[in-house]
Amino acid sequence: MVPLRDNNPTSITPYVTYAIVGANIFIFLYQATLSPQELQAFFNRAAVVPCQLSTTCPVPVDQGIPEWLTLVTSQFLHGGLLHLGGNMLFLWVFGNNIEDRLGHLKFFIFYISCGVLAALAQWFFSQNSTTPMVGASGAIAGVMGAYILRYPKAQVLTLIPLGFFITTFRIPAYFFLGFWFVQQAFYGLVSLPARTNVGMEGGGVAYWAHAGGFVFGAILGPMLGLMRRD
């Protein structure tokens, strides 16, 4: 299911959401100028490499920046055009309303915090992995976790393929986002017996970052005033 838009108007211009989308696109364009070897080295420096965070890598890497900082920088890296496009579409649809409720500064703090906590959730289940973890999915999952609390009955215009046909439906946010969360948690549980590959560029998906980010977003949002009355 691909969200196209919701029916929630906003009372402010979501400058932070726009800035985050722009930053992700700009950095991806920079990635596109790198050779495969340079891109791998870039990911090793700026992405979350779980074994580096755990200091258990078989060969330590001198990455030039503190490993804890990659919990932030990794949120602006992506493993491919579809990875970037999917993440930015979800942020575009759901992020403006959460920024509207929290305000610009609180939303920025909320977004980065959800991304950090989501990455740590994935790290917890793959502490010895050598695969770089990249993407804004965890932070955006936090936005979705806040959205389902604040706007459960909002209608999301959704693109759904039905065999050879593609059609659109208006789906309540609680169903669209709830189904997404259950799916991520299920795949996370299924992946537990297997060695986790968390790098999108390697074909893996950080399911625990998605599920964890969703839960942390549902927790942090109300703490920052998400449910306050106007």
Side-chain angles (χ1 to χ4, degrees):
M1 299 189 296
V2 180
L4 299 178
R5 64 175 183 271
D6 60 8
N7 65 344
N8 268 344
T10 59
S11 60
I12 64 171
T13 301
Y15 293 115
V16 174
T17 299
Y18 293 163
I20 292 172
V21 171
N24 277 276
I25 293 174
F26 176 80
I27 293 174
F28 183 77
L29 292 176
Y30 168 73
Q31 289 178 211
T33 67
L34 302 177
S35 68
Q37 295 78 13
E38 291 172 333
L39 182 61
Q40 185 61 49
F42 181 56
F43 281 170
N44 286 336
R45 290 194 303 271
V48 175
V49 181
C51 70
Q52 291 181 12
L53 196 62
S54 308
T55 65
T56 59
C57 287
V59 180
V61 177
D62 183 13
Q63 61 187 99
I65 63 175
E67 183 61 31
W68 63 266
L69 191 57
T70 65
L71 294 169
V72 176
T73 57
S74 63
Q75 299 177 37
F76 297 90
L77 311 178
H78 288 84
L81 186 59
L82 288 178
H83 188 200
L84 172 72
N87 277 347
M88 295 304 100
L89 177 60
F90 272 73
L91 178 59
W92 184 268
V93 172
F94 300 112
N96 58 346
N97 293 108
I98 303 305
E99 183 175 350
D100 188 28
R101 297 304 305 171
L102 297 181
H104 304 304
L105 179 58
K106 283 186 178 181
F107 175 73
F108 180 73
I109 295 172
F110 167 81
Y111 180 89
I112 296 296
S113 299
C114 285
V116 169
L117 293 170
L120 289 174
Q122 182 64 42
W123 164 82
F124 180 80
F125 291 99
S126 56
Q127 297 182 26
N128 297 319
S129 174
T130 60
T131 306
M133 180 168 61
V134 299
S137 307
I140 296 168
V143 171
M144 295 161 65
Y147 193 101
I148 197 173
L149 281 186
R150 188 63 182 84
Y151 304 106
K153 296 183 180 180
Q155 298 293 307
V156 181
L157 183 64
T158 306
L159 187 70
I160 302 177
L162 298 174
F164 293 104
F165 301 98
I166 297 178
T167 187
T168 58
F169 292 95
R170 293 190 179 275
I171 298 176
Y174 69 83
F175 179 82
F176 182 97
L177 299 176
F179 178 82
W180 183 90
F181 170 73
V182 170
Q183 183 183 45
Q184 303 307 306
F186 172 77
Y187 285 135
L189 289 171
V190 170
S191 72
L192 283 180
R195 182 179 179 182
T196 305
N197 177 18
V198 296
M200 284 298 300
E201 78 290 346
V205 180
Y207 293 116
W208 286 115
H210 297 173
F214 192 96
V215 171
F216 287 125
I219 295 172
L220 291 178
M223 293 174 62
L224 292 174
L226 177 72
M227 308 305 290
R228 76 183 188 282
R229 295 188 178 184
D230 294 328

